[in-house]
Amino acid sequence: QVQLQESGPGLVKPSETLSLTCAVSGYSISSGYYWGWIRQPPGKGLEWIGSIYHSGSTYYNPSLKSRITISVDTSKNQFSLKLSSVTAADTAVYYCARLTVTPPEYFQHWGQGTLVTVSS
Amino acid sequence: DIQMTQSPSSLSASVGDRVTITCRASQSIISYLNWYQQKPGKAPKLLIYAASSLQSGVPSRFSGSGSGTDFTLTISSLQPEDFATYYCQQSYSAPWTFGQGTKVEIK
């Protein structure tokens, strides 16, 4: 059974870089699938951030593309998100998820989410 | 970006009621539409993919229909555990986008 677990600082200062990691268990990232990040500001809806394939190919939401880096570490069976120059608008619960590869892509398995607050 | 609009934004219903939630896309997304259920403090859970395919383990009272721009999620007989927020999501064209959500509350 696939399980995903987000980790990282819960508080980030404005203008700094948010860094999160998603540890995957029950499935080897190198075996396939896309792996992605989604966020949800408090009391609001869901926003897809970006996704990465096990090979390292990425695709990002254009609205965040200039500030995002998603990477994968198959040796540790985990993938990571870096979001630079954060502001209060980046305060959200951040989820990692596994997506299917063939269309229609859907978020099949989700982590529990981690709240990141941007504040000085 | 493809805009997804759900209606209603919220509804009140009783246990046993038939509930219908609508999702409209700003352009045709053929059948590339997925539905999720989210309970407070929890991650979303996949219910329906490809407009009408039931995810394994999801009760058969949930069903989805539609194609093109108009889609529907139906709960045939609302159960206590179904009170939650429901989101649609398109995967026809990146960036993947979600509807704003429909909150199903107890009447």
Side-chain angles (χ1 to χ4, degrees), chain B residues 22-86:
Chain B
T22 297
C23 179
R24 175 164 290 176
S26 59
Q27 67 179 75
S28 177
I29 57 171
I30 47 177
S31 63
Y32 289 5
L33 190 283
N34 311 306
W35 289 97
Y36 302 85
Q37 175 194 66
Q38 186 179 35
K39 296 181 179 179
K42 300 294 186 181
K45 171 189 171 183
L46 177 68
L47 297 177
I48 302 281
Y49 62 93
S52 60
S53 296
L54 194 67
Q55 171 68 357
S56 176
V58 174
S60 59
R61 63 180 179 273
F62 291 93
S63 64
S65 64
S67 66
T69 61
D70 294 320
F71 301 86
T72 299
L73 173 69
T74 299
I75 309 172
S76 60
S77 177
L78 197 65
Q79 297 302 300
E81 60 268 31
D82 301 337
F83 292 96
T85 300
Y86 294 84

Side-chain angles (χ1 to χ4, degrees), chain A residues 29 31-35 51-59 72 101:
Chain A
I29 285 181
S31 295
Y33 287 97
Y34 276 100
W35 307 85
S51 300
I52 189 165
Y53 195 51
H54 68 89
S55 62
S57 63
T58 56
Y59 58 118
V72 64
V101 176

Side-chain angles (χ1 to χ4, degrees), chain A residues 21-59:
Chain A
T21 296
C22 181
V24 179
S25 59
Y27 187 85
S28 174
I29 285 181
S30 58
S31 295
Y33 287 97
Y34 276 100
W35 307 85
W37 291 95
I38 305 99
R39 69 180 183 179
Q40 184 173 36
K44 296 188 178 181
L46 299 160
E47 179 183 32
W48 171 70
I49 298 170
S51 300
I52 189 165
Y53 195 51
H54 68 89
S55 62
S57 63
T58 56
Y59 58 118

Side-chain angles (χ1 to χ4, degrees), chain A residues 38 40 44-48 51 59-63 95 99 103-113, chain B residues 1 31-34 36 38 41-46 49-50 55 87 89 91 94-100:
Chain A
I38 305 99
Q40 184 173 36
K44 296 188 178 181
L46 299 160
E47 179 183 32
W48 171 70
S51 300
Y59 58 118
Y60 299 149
N61 191 324
S63 69
Y95 297 100
L99 296 84
E105 292 89 341
Y106 49 87
F107 301 96
Q108 193 175 36
H109 299 282
W110 296 66
Q112 64 184 29
Chain B
D1 298 4
S31 63
Y32 289 5
L33 190 283
N34 311 306
Y36 302 85
Q38 186 179 35
K42 300 294 186 181
K45 171 189 171 183
L46 177 68
Y49 62 93
Q55 171 68 357
Y87 293 93
Q89 174 245 327
S91 55
W96 315 139
T97 48
F98 294 84
Q100 81 280 15

Side-chain angles (χ1 to χ4, degrees), chain A residues 4-99:
Chain A
L4 300 94
Q5 178 67 59
E6 305 89 351
S7 63
L11 181 64
V12 181
K13 290 182 169 56
S15 80
E16 294 189 345
T17 296
L18 178 161
S19 297
L20 296 174
T21 296
C22 181
V24 179
S25 59
Y27 187 85
S28 174
I29 285 181
S30 58
S31 295
Y33 287 97
Y34 276 100
W35 307 85
W37 291 95
I38 305 99
R39 69 180 183 179
Q40 184 173 36
K44 296 188 178 181
L46 299 160
E47 179 183 32
W48 171 70
I49 298 170
S51 300
I52 189 165
Y53 195 51
H54 68 89
S55 62
S57 63
T58 56
Y59 58 118
Y60 299 149
N61 191 324
S63 69
L64 299 167
K65 186 175 183 178
S66 64
R67 298 195 289 134
I68 300 171
T69 302
I70 297 177
S71 59
V72 64
D73 185 339
T74 54
S75 67
K76 294 182 178 180
N77 214 39
Q78 64 186 34
F79 60 104
S80 300
L81 167 70
K82 292 187 185 300
L83 178 65
S84 64
S85 304
V86 299
T87 69
D90 295 310
T91 293
V93 175
Y94 286 77
Y95 297 100
C96 59
R98 189 180 87 172
L99 296 84

